[in-house]
Amino acid sequence: MNISEMEDQLISTIEGLHLFRLVGSLGRKGYPQTLNYPCAFVYFAGDENTKSNPRPVYVVNYEVLIVCKNLSLNPEKEAAKDAYVLLEAVEQAINGKQLSISDIEPWMCMSRELYEYENGVISYVVKFQTRHYLPVPAPD
């Protein structure tokens, strides 16, 4: 499975929660302008070669940006509460699972961090990591 296919599987898993009005890829289209809240954007954050031989193994990182906007009378408290529910749901849907991807270790949630809070819009980033086992290269 390649980077794009793994991202698609993460997107599909988050869509399956039925908690977001919009779920998409952040890396393929740049930072989206949206009025559809709450929303979640998945993106490939990078990888690192473990230098394993003969089979290449990469530590792969993906992130999920969760964006909520609160229209209630108490925006800070309610926006944060709604965001916490969403980030915990995303974590539970992915953490410790392979999501039908056969050549990886189960995903591990590495962190959940505040990204931004401005004008009633609160954003968090949930970071996930796995080890991706590539096929053994054919000899020349």
Side-chain angles (χ1 to χ4, degrees), residues 115-128:
Y115 178 75
E116 182 176 60
Y117 180 75
E118 185 177 336
N119 299 325
V121 177
I122 191 166
S123 306
Y124 283 89
V125 174
V126 185
K127 298 180 180 185
F128 293 97

Side-chain angles (χ1 to χ4, degrees), residues 80-128:
K81 180 181 173 185
D82 292 345
Y84 300 157
V85 168
L86 295 172
L87 71 92
E88 288 173 352
V90 168
E91 177 188 359
Q92 291 170 12
I94 297 169
N95 191 46
K97 298 176 176 79
Q98 286 183 271
L99 308 178
S100 300
I101 304 171
S102 62
D103 54 357
I104 66 166
E105 291 179 355
W107 293 97
M108 183 184 312
C109 181
M110 302 305 289
S111 68
R112 303 177 300 179
E113 302 173 7
L114 178 66
Y115 178 75
E116 182 176 60
Y117 180 75
E118 185 177 336
N119 299 325
V121 177
I122 191 166
S123 306
Y124 283 89
V125 174
V126 185
K127 298 180 180 185
F128 293 97

Side-chain angles (χ1 to χ4, degrees), residues 23-38:
V23 180
S25 171
L26 184 62
R28 295 181 200 158
K29 299 177 186 174
Y31 190 83
Q33 297 296 322
T34 183
L35 299 175
N36 295 312
Y37 298 102

Side-chain angles (χ1 to χ4, degrees), residues 3-139:
I3 292 169
S4 180
E5 291 167 330
M6 280 194 272
E7 184 175 281
D8 289 342
Q9 189 63 30
L10 290 167
I11 289 170
S12 177
T13 299
I14 295 168
E15 285 175 332
L17 295 172
H18 305 289
L19 296 173
F20 297 93
R21 293 187 67 195
L22 175 65
V23 180
S25 171
L26 184 62
R28 295 181 200 158
K29 299 177 186 174
Y31 190 83
Q33 297 296 322
T34 183
L35 299 175
N36 295 312
Y37 298 102
C39 52
F41 300 101
V42 178
Y43 53 97
F44 172 70
D47 60 14
E48 184 177 332
N49 189 337
T50 65
K51 300 177 183 159
S52 175
N53 283 312
R55 184 178 191 171
V57 178
Y58 282 80
V59 174
V60 181
N61 298 286
Y62 283 83
E63 297 179 1
V64 180
L65 176 66
I66 296 170
V67 185
C68 302
K69 182 168 184 158
N70 187 29
L71 302 174
S72 75
L73 298 175
N74 190 356
E76 287 188 35
K77 182 178 179 183
E78 292 303 317
K81 180 181 173 185
D82 292 345
Y84 300 157
V85 168
L86 295 172
L87 71 92
E88 288 173 352
V90 168
E91 177 188 359
Q92 291 170 12
I94 297 169
N95 191 46
K97 298 176 176 79
Q98 286 183 271
L99 308 178
S100 300
I101 304 171
S102 62
D103 54 357
I104 66 166
E105 291 179 355
W107 293 97
M108 183 184 312
C109 181
M110 302 305 289
S111 68
R112 303 177 300 179
E113 302 173 7
L114 178 66
Y115 178 75
E116 182 176 60
Y117 180 75
E118 185 177 336
N119 299 325
V121 177
I122 191 166
S123 306
Y124 283 89
V125 174
V126 185
K127 298 180 180 185
F128 293 97
Q129 186 175 88
T130 189
R131 291 169 67 89
H132 186 201
Y133 296 87
L134 300 175
V136 175

